[in-house]
Amino acid sequence: MTAPLPFDNSYARLPERFYARIAPNRVSAPRLIKVNRALALDLGLDPDWLESPEGVDFLAGHAMPDGAEPIAQAYAGHQFGQFVPQLGDGRAMLVGEVIDRHGVRRDIQLKGSGPTPFSRRGDGRAALGPVLREYIVSEAMAALGIPTTRTLAAATTGETVVREAFLPGAVLARVASSHVRVGTFQYFAARKDAEAIRTLADHVIDRHYPEARDAALPARALLEGVVDRQADLIAAWLLVGFIHGVMNTDNMSIAGETIDYGPCAFLDVFDPSKVFSSIDQFGRYAYGAQPSIGLWNLTRFAETLLPLLDDDQDKAVAIAQESLTRFGPRFEAAFHAGLRRKAGLTTAEEGDVELVRALLDAMTENQADYTLVFRYLADAALGAAHDEPVRRLFVDPTVFDRWAVRWRERTGREAVTAEDRRILMRAANPAFIPRNHRIEAVIRAAMDRNDFKPFETLLQVLSRPFDDQPEHAAYADPPALTEQVLATFCGT
Ligand code: AMP
Ligand code: MG
């Protein structure tokens, strides 16, 4: 076979203790669900080949093309606060890296492709439902402009996976800037393997933070780079109402991308204490807890870098602590700027954040839908005659009316036309997010009726989240009472 995927595998050139080499797992009946053709082209891959029988065998993890060097990466992690010294890719394999059209190195990983030396008691497989969920949400995040792993393709395997029921098996081809996690550093730190930490730090500096190479203390520049990207990322999550659901340190990317779409969900009604994940009993990863958990995870990352920061332990700790203090201000700056954009404020005044917070509080008290309030508020920028759609979202619309008086006082002090403000607000406030009930409906149709049309339609709608799509207007709606999704589940 000629090499249809021009792999260049830098991770497989790292020391052998960074991963385990693995062989493809034969599956009974690989079948394509979908290739993300636009992404394939962006990666410099041939979408027609990916859709060919050979391509589908590859996407299902059944057979590897030339140049693939399948490995399962080693990592550790804090899961719900408990340190597990060995996790690793238990149901995924990194098949290789390609250089995309913009010169960026990107991993191609198959998730759900069968057991590896890191599978522990798991079967290494993924079920169709979580694969469709990850495809939809990761691509929706990309369209919303949020750093994320992407989905290149999904395929079914013909195998049955046993979970709470017998489910169709599937594989997701995931694309990431890299799959190095906070937990990858923790794996070596737990083994007191300072040499591996140094090698790994060099690898990620070359790959993600080349500017850190020239810093006085590259490890510090690396830490600060990761802090900044995570602060920005988590701010972006909050601004669209995203709840990751399992912010374990093994699910925090060093490159600053959203990774590992398990029991993630988007808010409907605005509620900072909201948790969907069925395994998050104490709300550790609630919507509003994400910034503080982000900092907690970054502190674990900083600990792994101590040997590189200074030979003197106390000095190393002082450097790490100082670097971590960036997180709060960086997060706030990104979050507050985003809140201003959402509310259509083009200048910064004291009291702005308090003003937007008052709206958020009113949403919580009045069961108002987060996404729709801001989307309709854009129309209200044209004047109070356009308030009805947004005010109706509040149980007590007069609460909105009172807030709107303050808002208009504030916006009235800016030299921005109503039309321009509306345009700016519509660009900051999506109409379409991957609502939980829509995802559930897609999964049900695929599983119960082998009908993937709803999947295709939802993907298409979510690829243009900021455009009105009158023919799909219903996709912007929150769930009816009977459609509400109360809990989401891990894919495991
Ligand atoms: P996750 O909750 O998806 O972030 O996974 C946490 C850890 O459990 C990782 O080491 C995974 O590789 C492993 N894991 C999850 N599901 C499975 C499975 N079905 N088989 C083997 N390992 C798994
Ligand atoms: Mg994970």
Side-chain angles (χ1 to χ4, degrees):
M1 197 194 294
T2 54
L5 302 166
F7 286 121
D8 175 39
N9 304 323
S10 65
Y11 208 85
R13 293 194 289 269
L14 292 174
E16 295 279 336
R17 63 190 187 284
F18 281 57
Y19 50 79
R21 292 193 188 271
I22 52 182
N25 284 283
R26 300 258 151 205
V27 296
S28 50
R31 266 191 58 189
L32 185 65
I33 299 171
K34 186 177 179 66
V35 168
N36 184 342
R37 295 183 63 96
L39 178 60
L41 291 171
D42 204 44
L43 293 172
L45 308 182
D46 177 1
D48 293 331
W49 181 83
L50 288 168
E51 288 173 352
S52 74
E54 279 168 23
V56 176
D57 278 355
F58 160 64
L59 291 170
H62 181 71
M64 288 296 117
D66 290 351
E69 287 183 87
I71 58 176
Q73 288 173 300
Y75 56 85
H78 275 90
Q79 298 188 307
F80 290 90
Q82 295 298 314
F83 185 64
V84 183
Q86 179 164 314
L87 291 166
D89 288 333
R91 58 161 165 181
M93 58 176 166
L94 176 60
V95 290
E97 302 154 21
V98 296
I99 311 295
D100 73 13
R101 289 214 162 150
H102 318 278
V104 178
R105 178 180 296 273
R106 296 169 80 179
D107 280 5
I108 300 180
Q109 192 206 54
L110 299 180
K111 187 170 169 183
S113 55
T116 78
F118 299 108
S119 294
R120 295 173 291 161
R121 285 185 299 279
D123 61 1
R125 309 276 178 198
L128 176 59
V131 165
L132 295 179
R133 168 184 280 277
E134 174 155 355
Y135 198 140
I136 292 163
V137 185
S138 63
E139 288 305 297
M141 291 289 265
L144 288 164
I146 297 175
T148 177
T149 64
R150 302 288 306 271
T151 300
L152 175 61
T156 48
T157 58
E159 311 286 310
T160 298
V161 300
V162 187
R163 297 290 182 264
E164 68 283 0
F166 294 96
L167 302 169
V171 175
L172 181 107
R174 174 160 78 178
V175 176
S177 291
S178 83
H179 284 83
V180 179
R181 307 134 190 277
V182 169
T184 318
F185 281 85
Q186 288 182 294
Y187 178 85
F188 296 111
R191 286 159 182 74
K192 307 222 181 308
D193 188 346
E195 191 191 308
I197 301 266
R198 193 173 296 278
T199 304
L200 185 60
D202 282 342
H203 175 82
V204 298
I205 285 173
D206 285 347
R207 195 162 172 180
H208 303 301
Y209 300 92
E211 66 286 355
R213 175 69 56 228
D214 303 320
L217 193 49
R220 178 183 188 152
L222 166 63
L223 172 58
E224 294 183 352
V226 178
V227 166
D228 289 355
R229 284 195 203 174
Q230 284 294 337
D232 293 348
L233 178 67
I234 295 169
W237 289 355
L238 296 202
L239 291 167
V240 296
F242 177 74
I243 308 175
H244 182 285
V246 245
M247 287 177 71
N248 293 335
T249 56
D250 52 302
N251 293 337
M252 182 180 259
S253 152
I254 293 298
E257 292 178 335
T258 313
I259 189 169
D260 257 333
Y261 293 90
C264 61
F266 277 70
L267 289 177
D268 294 307
V269 166
F270 184 76
D271 174 2
S273 67
K274 189 73 190 167
V275 174
F276 285 96
S277 171
S278 58
I279 55 170
D280 191 1
Q281 289 170 18
F282 303 106
R284 180 179 171 91
Y285 302 140
Y287 169 82
Q290 296 181 113
S292 59
I293 280 292
L295 178 57
W296 192 89
N297 289 350
L298 290 164
T299 307
R300 304 289 81 76
F301 176 49
E303 286 163 0
T304 71
L305 293 179
L306 291 178
L308 307 190
L309 292 176
D310 203 291
D311 291 337
D312 179 318
Q313 167 95 1
D314 291 343
K315 280 194 196 141
V317 169
I319 294 169
Q321 278 172 340
E322 198 188 314
S323 297
L324 289 166
T325 60
R326 298 163 71 87
F327 182 85
R330 176 86 184 203
F331 166 78
E332 277 205 347
F335 186 54
H336 292 172
L339 288 181
R340 280 200 175 88
R341 275 196 306 278
K342 286 181 85 66
L345 307 180
T346 60
T347 54
E349 282 187 19
E350 195 140 341
D352 283 351
V353 172
E354 197 278 318
L355 175 69
V356 185
R357 279 207 196 281
L359 180 65
L360 296 174
D361 290 346
M363 287 183 204
T364 308
E365 279 154 31
N366 284 273
Q367 299 285 299
D369 185 84
Y370 180 58
T371 303
L372 284 190
V373 165
F374 281 109
R375 184 72 180 182
Y376 293 170
L377 190 64
D379 296 326
L382 296 177
H386 301 265
D387 280 0
E388 196 49 30
V390 56
R391 70 190 293 280
R392 256 201 331 247
L393 297 170
F394 293 75
V395 171
D396 176 1
T398 65
V399 173
F400 173 80
D401 297 338
R402 284 193 293 280
W403 181 83
V405 172
R406 290 174 63 194
W407 180 57
R408 292 201 164 98
E409 252 169 48
R410 169 64 183 85
T411 54
R413 288 198 289 277
E414 293 188 353
V416 176
T417 67
E419 287 74 20
D420 284 350
R421 190 181 316 283
R422 177 171 178 271
I423 290 169
L424 290 173
M425 290 179 71
R426 284 165 55 84
N429 293 303
F432 300 102
I433 53 159
R435 295 200 184 254
N436 310 314
H437 67 295
R438 289 283 173 188
I439 298 171
E440 288 303 316
V442 159
I443 293 172
R444 287 267 60 91
M447 303 246 299
D448 299 348
R449 306 192 297 278
N450 198 31
D451 177 6
F452 287 82
K453 273 226 197 62
F455 168 68
E456 293 282 350
T457 308
L458 187 58
L459 272 183
Q460 199 195 328
V461 170
L462 295 173
S463 70
R464 293 162 48 212
F466 298 98
D467 295 350
D468 286 333
Q469 302 176 47
E471 69 283 22
H472 296 304
Y475 282 81
D477 292 343
L481 265 182
T482 51
E483 292 172 319
Q484 272 175 17
V485 173
L486 301 177
T488 52
F489 301 88
C490 267
T492 48

